[in-house]
Amino acid sequence: MIAVIPVRDGVLPAGADEAIAECDGRAVVAGSETAAVELTGIAREALLVELGDVAFGRWAAALCAGVAELGTADVILCPHSPDGRDLAPRLAFTLDRPLYAGATRVTPAVVQLARAGGRELHEVHPAGAFVATLQPGVRGVESFGEPPAVRTIDASDVEPVAADATVVDVLPPDARTMDLAEARRIVGGGAGLDAPVRFEMLAAFAAEIDATIGATRVITDRSWVHHDKQIGTTGVVVDPELYLAFGISGAVQHTAGLGSPDHIVSVNTDPHCPMMAMADLAIVSDANATLDELLRRLGGLVERPGG
Amino acid sequence: MADVDVVVVGAGPAGSTAATVLARAGHSVILLERGPFPGSKNMYGGVVYPRILDQLHPEWWEDAPIQRWVTRRSTMVLTDDQALTVDFRSEKWGRPPYNGATAFRPDWDSWLASKAQAAGATLVCSTTATGLLRERGRVVGVTTDRPEGDLRADVVIACDGVNSFLAKDAGLYGEVDAANYTVGVKETLGLPKEVIDERFAVRGREGVDIEILGGTGGVNGGAFLYTNFDTLAVGCVLKLPALAAQELRPEAIIAGLKRHPAIAPLVEGGDVAEYSAHVIPEAGLAMMPKMTGDGILVAGDAAAMCLAAGIWLEGVNFAMASGIYAGEAAAEALAAGDPSAAGLAGYERRLEDTFVLRDHRKLRRAPGLVLSDRVQHLYPEMIANTVERMFRVDNPAPKPGLRAIFNSERKRAGIKLADLARDARDGLRSFG
Amino acid sequence: MRITVCWKWVAVDGADPDDRWAGVSPADEAALETALTLAGNGGEVTVVTVGATGSDAGLRRATAVGATHVIRVDGEGLGARDVARAIAPIARGSDYVLCGDYSLDRGTGAVPAYLAAELGAAQALGLVGVDRTRVPLRVVRRLDGGRREILDVPTPAVLSVEGAVARLRRAGLAETLSASTATIEVVAGPRPAEHDVVVTPYRPRARMLPPPSGGTLARVRDILDIGAAPAHGDAVTLDPPEAAQRIIDQLREWRYLPRDTA
Ligand SMILES: Cc1cc2nc3c(=O)[nH]c(=O)nc-3n(C[C@H](O)[C@H](O)[C@H](O)COP(=O)(O)OP(=O)(O)OC[C@H]3O[C@@H](n4cnc5c(N)ncnc54)[C@H](O)[C@@H]3O)c2cc1C
Ligand SMILES: Cc1cc2nc3c(=O)[nH]c(=O)nc-3n(C[C@H](O)[C@H](O)[C@H](O)COP(=O)(O)OP(=O)(O)OC[C@H]3O[C@@H](n4cnc5c(N)ncnc54)[C@H](O)[C@@H]3O)c2cc1C
Ligand SMILES: Nc1ncnc2c1ncn2[C@@H]1O[C@H](COP(=O)(O)O)[C@@H](O)[C@H]1O
């Protein structure tokens, strides 16, 4: 098994460490400024393939032609990050192998896949060599300790074989538009909040502390916020450092997707619910009124939406 | 020029039956529904009485999407810690032609609408009628929320449910009073079929309908508990002004009902699969609009035809019936080339001649009676205490006589004999 | 300009596998809207679905909002590779192929990349913005870590868009009516490959954690999966104003807020 990790400007994608760990430390690190990638503890042996700017058509062609390991590996594993998700089908296509995307566990003989929006686990037994992508956040990693043995290939001059898009610019993260899965600070709302407008207020409060909003399924089922914002086993798995829970009971399906925040604040009228038991700061109070007050205090600037 | 003969607004039970009748009579019909499919937005308690379909869809039970056939019907009177149940079951209700059934509205309404489509009506979903088109005081079609969405028709049948915007727009309603409405709230609880069978002592497709007086946390209203195939429907119907005055949330009232010692063992362990709420026109006859205008008919809940009289909560059958009659009357008027109010008069005649208005007349005092403070708060206590003392063995004291118990409980509850007599008379007139 | 749009018709999450409870994702809708605007007047937009009879309802809707052609490739339970293979002959020759970033059942997002490979086209997937006015087309793609990438896309290209990119227009009444009876072109598709799949409810995998740096207590906490949360006090009951102040104070203490706020 070998992990193929697309990097840009020396930055590893989400879930790179886990994909490499799943392949017991063997990695092909391919992309731009691969020499700058910090791999100590993450990999045991790494092949750095310098490919220049992102261009999935050209990358796939260069990798399949120029990296003998890919031809011989029984499993090629990419992280299911945006770049990994887009590169893997290209690799599978070029090598004419099946693709198992969105796996939660991968061995040469058995692959487990999260399906049906994360409600089901599908177990398949591949008949031969294949390509897979691994969901970030599902396995965790242990450090390999030593820096890896590193080899380098320069393939940046490989001719384009397919039309590819041209990168014009890469914009830095913006907390408000950040994907929930990657957010470091999350303000979550549950059924204790009494109206859709509360989630606009929650967003206003979140903006004040550079956080992203999340919600429970009860809320996304009501379409008060989009399903993208649902935290939990059937929503997004997150791992923030700060989590503030407003009117959330803390059902396992929710907290199982919560990772292990350094700090949890819970505001709930029920002092005994699981979310309160998990919290570092557990406040028994009306979450709606507390939100009003928070906005009043923080946001001399923030208008309360909906009056 | 009209685009179609008839536009039916609302693919609920009323709209789909009206459209079926008209399409079968050879008229072009468009059935507008604002939801993505018929029944998608509709909720109700859960029991339908479909016998009215016998003519329209003979042997409807062969393919009707039912959950269970109601073969057991119980009426429960609850106080805080007592329950008196009158329980009836009949095997007859478990075979054709059946009596009532539990069914899900998305299934039921889609099924009825598919019959209309099969008859030739055109169903257009995700489309809301936003107003009436008029010409010289006559209704000649509807406007919709689609681009270039005007639809001209010789007759419009408003089956757009409670609070009918179209009937109001047509000026068929007088003043509307909030006191005439109740709000229905319902939870659907998931439980394995075997557990339901065992708890409710039923088998196969047999099901239970329990109507409950009391148990609504002091808010005037009633409650119900129905068995579906592998879910239960538990909910209450609450008088709007009373609910507002109590500052209690409907969810809290259902939660209280589910905690009642007589209910808790039945619903225990059920996962809440769904929660919904809806307004019910409750005052029956007292609030019905004019049924007919020039070029327009009103049917079903849009015409306040839901019968909500305590232990009766029937609306779907009234809606289906009025839909059929509206369809027949419209076909008559179209055939005669006169879709004016006069030409459409066959509708009201049919309503008067059948259970639709007769049941409403007969039961016109029932909502007031059942939702009155005495029936709601005093009688349950009195009856339950009376029965409790009757069955209590207080040895060495000898058994007291029933009349003595009853009278002392009546006095304790503060019920005047005259009031009791009046309520009994009203009750007999309505239900007798 | 010729554009092909891929629509996947799926039964809504958790509901019965029934046409009533089915639809396409907001992302697929956004793909069609983007295509319709890109194509403008005189352009051609073909919507293709690989699916069973039920998906005709989706194609009718696509017709009603203005798709020039709709085609259903008959097939069910196909993998991403087979779906792409079935769509490729229809999409070949298009300037752009537009997909949703995800379908309603949140498959794997592999179809668009496969399609690009099949067609030898450029790909730009997971877009959060499309600037229709520029040539070549300029788009914004979501990366991880909250970053965004700006791309210039040549033709032919496969694009996949998120739901927020555009909102599908409403079909006119007349178009809706005529689409409701239109016949849908159906072509035969591949048969699904036989797989042995064992389906179980989702169970999260035990996560590997670095050895706890603290003492026994931290280890116990890890084993109990309370994560890194430090020991906490009991719940405090506070009035909303006090509660808000307490939260702000605490956030300041944890340094999520600068020391000098409110
Ligand atoms: C297969 C399956 C998968 C699921 N997947 C997910 C998932 O991915 N994500 C998810 O979130 N859920 C999921 N659920 C649902 C989950 O089981 C819970 O139902 C849900 O998380 C509860 O959401 P909640 O905390 O908002 O609501 P509730 O459990 O109803 O809790 C509301 C809380 O608000 C409190 N409250 C009420 N009023 C106030 C007030 N005025 N002020 C403060 N607090 C108040 C209450 O005390 C309570 O603690 C799943 C369920 C199943 C069966
Ligand atoms: C809590 C509760 C419990 C009940 N329990 C029972 C029971 O157990 N048994 C029973 O028989 N009855 C019961 N009823 C009553 C029953 O639900 C109604 O009487 C019945 O649904 C009326 O049918 P209808 O076709 O008139 O209206 P509806 O079922 O309300 O249908 C109206 C349709 O019109 C559509 N619509 C509305 N406005 C527009 C518009 N402008 N444009 C396009 N479409 C529109 C709606 O989406 C809907 O599909 C209950 C009601 C409630 C609220
Ligand atoms: N069966 C299909 N028919 C047409 N398009 C599809 C099909 N499956 C996937 N797609 C396209 O690929 C995108 C991603 O799908 P998915 O991988 O299922 O999340 C969808 O938004 C569609 O645009």
Side-chain angles (χ1 to χ4, degrees):
Chain A
M1 290 175 54
I2 194 158
V4 173
I5 310 296
V7 300
R8 39 172 94 220
D9 304 332
V11 181
L12 286 172
D17 51 352
E18 291 177 302
I20 301 174
E22 192 80 348
C23 296
D24 196 28
R26 288 186 72 207
V28 172
V29 175
S32 56
E33 291 178 39
T34 49
V37 177
E38 182 50 69
L39 289 167
T40 306
I42 294 179
R44 284 192 303 113
E45 51 183 278
L47 176 62
L48 307 184
V49 186
E50 190 60 31
L51 292 168
D53 271 349
V54 191
F56 293 110
R58 184 167 55 77
W59 280 23
L63 284 169
C64 296
V67 181
E69 281 85 344
L70 294 195
T72 55
D74 48 1
V75 179
I76 294 170
L77 186 64
C78 296
H80 199 77
S81 64
D83 284 343
R85 183 190 84 160
D86 291 359
L87 176 63
R90 291 272 186 166
L91 296 176
F93 180 86
T94 314
L95 296 168
D96 196 20
R97 293 183 178 188
L99 171 72
Y100 298 109
T104 59
R105 183 191 297 275
V106 179
T107 69
V110 182
V111 181
Q112 288 182 340
L113 302 155
R115 285 291 183 271
R119 278 175 298 116
E120 292 171 1
L121 213 52
H122 288 197
E123 188 170 291
V124 292
H125 299 263
F130 62 91
V131 179
T133 60
L134 185 72
Q135 295 275 8
V138 290
R139 93 185 280 291
V141 289
E142 265 174 317
S143 172
F144 290 105
E146 302 294 298
V150 172
R151 283 187 304 131
T152 305
I153 300 181
D154 189 347
S156 51
D157 55 354
V158 169
E159 284 293 305
V161 292
D164 270 316
T166 330
V167 180
V168 179
D169 197 6
V170 172
L171 307 175
D174 172 350
R176 266 151 304 194
T177 56
M178 181 146 13
D179 216 19
L180 187 56
E182 300 146 5
R184 304 306 297 148
R185 302 173 182 186
I186 296 175
V187 182
L193 294 181
D194 57 11
V197 69
R198 295 291 176 194
F199 286 82
E200 289 172 39
M201 298 172 64
L202 210 61
F205 167 58
E208 291 296 310
I209 59 166
D210 285 337
T212 302
I213 69 158
T216 64
R217 192 166 92 176
V218 174
I219 298 304
T220 55
D221 280 354
R222 287 183 195 157
S223 298
W224 286 10
V225 302
H226 194 265
H227 179 268
D228 287 358
K229 298 287 181 200
Q230 177 181 320
I231 295 171
T233 50
T234 50
V236 184
V237 174
V238 299
D239 193 9
E241 51 189 24
L242 172 68
Y243 188 63
L244 292 105
F246 286 86
I248 293 178
S249 63
V252 284
Q253 289 91 353
H254 183 72
T255 56
L258 200 51
S260 38
D262 300 337
H263 298 118
I264 298 180
V265 177
S266 172
V267 184
N268 201 302
T269 44
D270 172 8
H272 305 295
C273 69
M275 200 69 238
M276 296 294 262
M278 284 180 72
D280 303 296
L281 174 60
I283 298 178
V284 181
S285 196
D286 176 20
N288 301 289
T290 302
L291 202 50
D292 285 339
E293 293 291 336
L294 273 171
L295 282 185
R296 195 162 297 149
R297 264 150 233 263
L298 280 179
L301 317 161
V302 189
E303 282 292 314
R304 190 187 142 181
Chain B
M1 250 311 279
D3 300 306
V4 278
D5 296 342
V6 185
V7 175
V8 180
V9 179
S16 288
T17 49
T20 306
V21 169
L22 280 157
R24 287 207 188 143
H27 296 290
S28 58
V29 184
I30 287 182
L31 179 56
L32 292 180
E33 169 55 45
R34 71 176 162 193
F37 59 83
S40 54
K41 301 216 159 136
N42 300 349
M43 71 82 74
Y44 78 139
V47 181
V48 288
Y49 299 96
R51 288 298 305 284
I52 185 67
L53 294 178
D54 284 356
Q55 293 148 34
L56 198 63
H57 305 302
E59 314 220 330
W60 47 268
W61 51 84
E62 293 292 339
D63 63 344
I66 66 107
Q67 293 281 318
R68 289 174 186 258
W69 300 110
V70 174
T71 58
R72 203 181 144 197
R73 195 170 166 158
S74 309
T75 303
M76 245 187 205
V77 179
L78 297 185
T79 68
D80 288 347
D81 56 358
Q82 297 158 312
L84 172 68
T85 309
V86 179
D87 185 24
F88 176 76
R89 58 191 302 163
S90 165
E91 292 305 302
K92 278 196 210 88
W93 290 353
R95 31 175 213 265
Y98 299 100
N99 180 47
T102 53
F104 291 145
R105 289 296 297 281
D107 296 343
W108 186 263
D109 290 10
S110 291
W111 171 75
L112 268 184
S114 74
K115 298 276 181 193
Q117 282 180 291
T122 305
L123 172 67
V124 188
C125 293
S126 301
T127 307
T128 305
T130 50
L132 294 169
L133 289 173
R134 281 201 193 72
E135 238 162 53
R136 277 174 268 117
R138 226 178 78 65
V139 172
V140 292
V142 295
T143 57
T144 72
D145 64 342
R146 291 209 176 259
E148 283 153 54
D150 289 2
L151 201 54
R152 298 176 65 85
D154 292 328
V155 180
V156 172
I157 306 188
C159 302
D160 51 341
V162 61
N163 266 329
S164 167
F165 169 70
L166 294 185
K168 279 183 210 149
D169 195 21
L172 299 175
Y173 266 102
E175 278 296 302
V176 174
D177 179 357
N180 287 342
Y181 292 95
T182 49
V183 58
V185 291
K186 176 177 99 159
E187 275 181 13
T188 306
L189 305 174
L191 276 178
K193 174 180 191 303
E194 307 74 57
V195 173
I196 295 178
D197 286 356
E198 200 168 310
R199 282 189 194 170
F200 291 84
V202 284
R203 299 236 146 65
R205 283 283 176 178
E206 294 170 349
V208 183
D209 161 343
I210 305 178
E211 311 290 348
I212 302 162
L213 193 58
T216 46
V219 177
N220 296 26
F224 55 84
L225 174 60
Y226 304 138
T227 59
N228 295 315
F229 188 70
D230 53 7
T231 54
L232 299 177
V234 53
C236 15
V237 174
L238 305 163
K239 192 115 178 101
L240 261 184
L243 183 61
Q246 294 269 349
E247 292 189 358
L248 264 177
R249 292 162 70 103
E251 307 91 280
I253 295 176
I254 295 195
L257 177 67
K258 281 169 32 185
R259 278 198 303 270
H260 190 281
I263 305 296
L266 298 176
V267 299
E268 198 164 50
D271 296 330
V272 180
E274 196 182 289
Y275 172 85
S276 46
H278 201 280
V279 175
I280 312 173
E282 169 265 320
L285 221 49
M287 63 180 297
M288 283 187 190
K290 270 168 62 188
M291 302 288 168
T292 328
D294 287 331
I296 184 167
L297 293 173
V298 193
D301 272 11
M305 279 174 191
C306 181
L307 184 69
I311 56 172
W312 273 277
L313 181 51
E314 295 172 26
V316 173
N317 49 339
F318 283 84
M320 293 187 298
S322 57
I324 293 173
Y325 302 143
E328 290 173 359
E332 234 167 52
L334 287 168
D338 176 17
S340 70
L344 292 165
Y347 179 44
E348 229 159 316
R349 209 168 47 238
R350 286 177 170 82
L351 296 177
E352 292 285 358
D353 284 353
T354 58
F355 76 99
V356 179
L357 286 181
R358 289 195 177 179
D359 282 4
H360 271 288
R361 284 244 147 72
K362 182 167 159 53
L363 289 169
R364 69 183 180 281
R365 288 198 187 81
L369 175 65
V370 174
L371 294 177
S372 72
D373 286 338
R374 269 196 303 280
V375 172
Q376 287 281 321
H377 305 302
L378 304 182
Y379 293 164
E381 195 88 27
M382 172 185 81
I383 295 167
N385 284 341
T386 304
V387 176
E388 177 162 339
R389 281 174 63 185
M390 198 170 102
F391 290 141
R392 193 164 64 203
V393 179
D394 259 346
N395 295 349
K399 292 193 197 308
L402 178 56
R403 179 171 309 178
I405 303 177
F406 182 78
N407 270 324
S408 79
E409 285 302 329
R410 177 179 62 76
K411 282 187 194 128
R412 190 157 74 160
I415 300 165
K416 293 204 199 78
L417 209 47
D419 286 336
L420 183 64
R422 176 144 30 88
D423 291 341
R425 186 198 60 207
D426 282 354
L428 268 177
R429 273 195 200 155
S430 300
F431 301 112
Chain C
M1 181 173 303
R2 280 191 56 193
I3 303 182
T4 301
V5 177
C6 304
W7 260 22
K8 183 173 181 185
W9 183 257
V10 217
V12 173
D13 219 29
D16 303 335
D18 181 324
D19 295 348
R20 281 180 291 148
W21 303 103
V24 302
S25 67
D28 285 5
E29 292 187 0
L32 179 52
E33 181 61 36
T34 307
L36 291 170
T37 14
L38 273 176
N41 286 337
E44 243 181 72
V45 176
T46 303
V47 178
V48 49
T49 291
V50 182
T53 337
S55 24
D56 286 355
L59 294 176
R60 292 221 151 81
R61 184 160 167 233
T63 308
V65 292
T68 352
H69 309 289
V70 298
I71 300 179
R72 177 164 68 82
V73 180
D74 192 48
E76 224 177 336
L78 297 174
R81 176 81 199 266
D82 290 335
V83 169
R85 227 180 245 163
I87 294 175
I90 298 162
R92 191 157 284 130
S94 300
D95 299 286
Y96 298 110
V97 177
L98 271 143
C99 295
D101 175 52
Y102 55 87
S103 57
L104 209 53
D105 63 354
R106 300 185 165 257
T108 61
V111 169
Y114 263 127
L115 257 175
E118 288 278 352
L119 299 170
Q123 71 186 48
L125 310 183
L127 304 184
V128 292
V130 175
D131 181 354
R132 308 173 184 99
T133 58
R134 287 179 93 105
V135 183
L137 197 63
R138 179 160 285 188
V139 299
V140 185
R141 171 169 178 251
R142 185 196 291 282
L143 296 179
D144 41 10
R147 291 171 304 156
R148 298 275 190 278
E149 176 182 48
I150 300 177
L151 296 169
D152 278 345
V153 190
T155 53
V158 178
L159 313 176
S160 81
V161 297
E162 291 193 0
V165 163
R167 199 183 162 142
L168 185 58
R169 60 194 69 182
R170 251 173 103 58
L173 187 59
E175 291 78 8
T176 305
L177 282 169
S178 65
S180 72
T181 51
T183 38
I184 305 288
E185 182 183 344
V186 183
V187 299
R191 307 183 58 63
E194 293 291 319
H195 293 296
D196 276 335
V197 182
V198 183
V199 179
T200 53
Y202 183 80
R203 290 270 172 281
R205 173 178 179 182
R207 295 177 77 223
M208 220 163 317
L209 292 165
S213 44
T216 325
L217 191 60
R219 186 178 289 275
V220 169
R221 227 180 276 126
D222 276 339
I223 293 168
L224 295 178
D225 201 22
I226 359 189
H232 47 78
D234 287 334
V236 284
T237 306
L238 298 173
D239 285 344
E242 295 166 355
Q245 195 54 50
R246 183 64 195 277
I247 291 172
I248 291 171
D249 292 345
Q250 187 70 69
L251 290 178
R252 234 183 264 149
E253 187 176 317
W254 286 333
R255 296 183 182 278
Y256 293 107
L257 273 175
R259 291 267 172 194
D260 55 359
T261 20

